[in-house]
Amino acid sequence: MDVWKAAAERARTHGDVLSLAAGQPSTPAPAPVLRATKTAIDAELFGYTETFGILALRRAIAGHHHRSYGYPVDPDDVVVTTGSSGAFTLIFLAAFDPGDTVVVARPGYPAYRNTLTALGCRVVELDCRAETRFQPTVAMLEELPRPPKGLIVASPANPTGTMIDPDELAAVAGWCDAHGTLLISDEIYHGITYGGERTASAWETSRSGVVIGSVSKYFSMTGWRLGWMLAPPELRPALQRLASNMTVCPPAISQYAALHAFGDEARTELDAHVHRYAVNRAILLEGLAGLGITDLAPADGAFYAYADIGHLTADSMAWCADVLANTGVALAPGLDFDIVNGHRTIRLSFAGATAEIEAALTRLGDYLRRT
């Protein structure tokens, strides 16, 4: 958020910002979603809905999971939330008590750690490195002094873009079942992958855990603030009570709009975005290599490149600030994602326009030649 604020100020004063920092698509919601929204504004009341979301949307999400992964989902399994952020907060409150241990990967999405800490949980970070594609493994879990109350996995992951192997995900899910650990599988970047690897879902192996989804990333609807979780029956009463008190219901207009995000017309448009991401990814990875930035996490999915720039700086926050001040290129320092080694890493998003990726590389090249 500090980077975004600085980039906005740079844009106001110079008008030359190229942002490779934002973790969101640069495209609007799909055309059928926008059309349906305009119709719904005239036709719907937009009062409170059911706390877990309107039935039609829960059916659409259930069908989406069945088509994508082959497992059946009942609409009652689906809990619609105010963004995936709302889903994480609800499940953390429903499943964990203050003092419970929850394990996350490092590097990883900082909101897991920050939200759990704010709720009084003990967060244990697994030091995930290139040899495991920056993903947790059963071997790592076996090294813990005792089984944790919860484990969060993300595939594709933010910030690395790496994916967990389907067999390893199944093994992790089995380990969690055997040790009474709640597996929370963050699957919000599903649909954005490269190279043909299959993206596995945790519910293919076990329904004891929780799957988190969202219309933000693949579906290009970040600001609509709509997510969901697939939750086992024993957790739903607590989730219902918490959600009805905290938010009453997810945004009604977003629910009616999102109904139309799962159809063929929307998917054709969204898959075209993924094709552009793939083009941008190739340009960025080749361009970074040409600049001598070669220590990168495998960008299997999502729209990020995560780079070690330890040969350039020992302070990624200051380095990114200097790059922004001198070039107008906004980058995300790694410190949020990795509080141990993030001082030497950066995250670059390639979700923007291809021309902006190319221009940013040119500016970075000029900057590196001057410094």
Side-chain angles (χ1 to χ4, degrees):
M1 295 300 102
D2 289 343
V3 171
W4 282 9
K5 181 179 179 180
E9 178 63 17
R10 170 83 186 197
R12 186 186 68 81
T13 58
H14 291 70
D16 64 347
V17 169
L18 296 172
S19 180
L20 275 62
Q24 64 176 351
S26 59
T27 46
V33 170
L34 297 177
R35 291 198 304 269
T37 303
K38 294 172 184 176
T39 300
I41 287 172
D42 294 327
E44 301 294 342
L45 175 63
F46 296 134
Y48 296 136
T49 72
E50 299 163 68
T51 296
F52 281 175
I54 59 176
L55 178 59
L57 179 58
R58 287 185 280 120
R59 283 175 172 161
I61 292 169
H64 163 70
H65 281 272
H66 185 250
R67 287 191 305 274
S68 299
Y69 312 105
Y71 55 72
V73 177
D74 190 278
D76 287 343
D77 296 328
V78 180
V79 177
V80 182
T81 59
T82 306
S84 61
S85 299
F88 282 112
T89 301
L90 283 175
I91 193 59
F92 293 167
L93 284 166
F96 307 134
D97 291 318
D100 283 346
T101 297
V102 182
V103 171
V104 300
R106 189 183 71 240
Y109 182 49
Y112 306 148
R113 178 184 69 240
N114 296 339
T115 304
L116 286 164
T117 300
L119 295 176
C121 293
R122 175 176 175 264
V123 179
V124 172
E125 296 185 328
L126 298 178
D127 185 13
C128 298
R129 304 195 180 190
E131 52 265 30
T132 65
R133 301 182 77 80
F134 300 93
Q135 291 284 353
T137 65
V138 169
M140 292 179 189
L141 298 173
E142 290 286 358
E143 293 176 358
L144 297 171
R146 61 186 61 85
K149 190 68 179 290
L151 167 68
I152 304 174
V153 298
S155 175
N158 177 11
T160 60
T162 62
M163 290 164 54
I164 191 168
D165 179 81
D167 291 338
E168 188 66 43
L169 178 60
V172 167
W175 188 94
C176 288
D177 280 355
H179 291 83
T181 298
L182 178 68
L183 175 63
I184 301 173
S185 181
D186 182 349
E187 302 181 3
I188 70 171
Y189 287 98
H190 279 211
I192 308 175
T193 60
Y194 317 101
E197 296 89 351
R198 190 176 77 84
T199 311
S201 172
W203 263 34
E204 292 177 38
T205 300
S206 170
R207 294 182 177 235
S208 299
V210 171
V211 166
I212 306 291
S214 171
V215 298
S216 287
K217 307 303 181 177
Y218 170 74
F219 295 96
S220 193
M221 296 174 63
T222 51
W224 298 71
R225 306 315 301 134
L226 199 77
W228 68 85
M229 72 177 93
L230 306 183
E234 62 272 16
L235 286 171
R236 292 177 207 157
L239 291 167
Q240 172 80 32
R241 290 192 292 272
L242 287 163
S244 62
N245 278 278
M246 293 173 64
T247 58
V248 181
C249 67
I253 190 169
S254 299
Q255 293 187 61
Y256 285 102
L259 277 170
H260 302 269
F262 301 97
D264 290 341
E265 182 185 355
R267 286 180 174 275
T268 297
E269 182 178 340
L270 296 168
D271 286 343
H273 298 334
V274 177
H275 176 73
R276 175 171 52 81
Y277 300 153
V279 171
N280 290 354
R281 172 182 177 270
I283 291 170
L284 182 62
L285 296 183
E286 182 179 353
L288 290 174
L291 299 178
I293 301 174
T294 58
D295 191 352
L296 304 168
D300 302 321
F303 32 61
Y304 306 118
Y306 193 64
D308 189 318
I309 57 167
H311 62 296
L312 298 174
T313 183
D315 186 345
S316 62
M317 181 74 78
W319 190 84
C320 287
D322 194 61
V323 168
L324 179 62
N326 283 279
T327 71
V329 176
L331 307 169
L335 201 57
D336 263 356
F337 309 108
D338 186 339
I339 59 175
V340 176
N341 300 306
H343 61 280
R344 55 180 294 144
T345 60
I346 57 172
R347 189 195 72 178
L348 306 92
S349 170
F350 49 83
T354 301
E356 291 184 354
I357 304 298
E358 294 171 331
L361 285 167
T362 297
R363 293 190 197 177
L364 283 174
D366 292 341
Y367 173 82
L368 291 176
R369 281 187 288 273
R370 293 195 307 266
T371 56

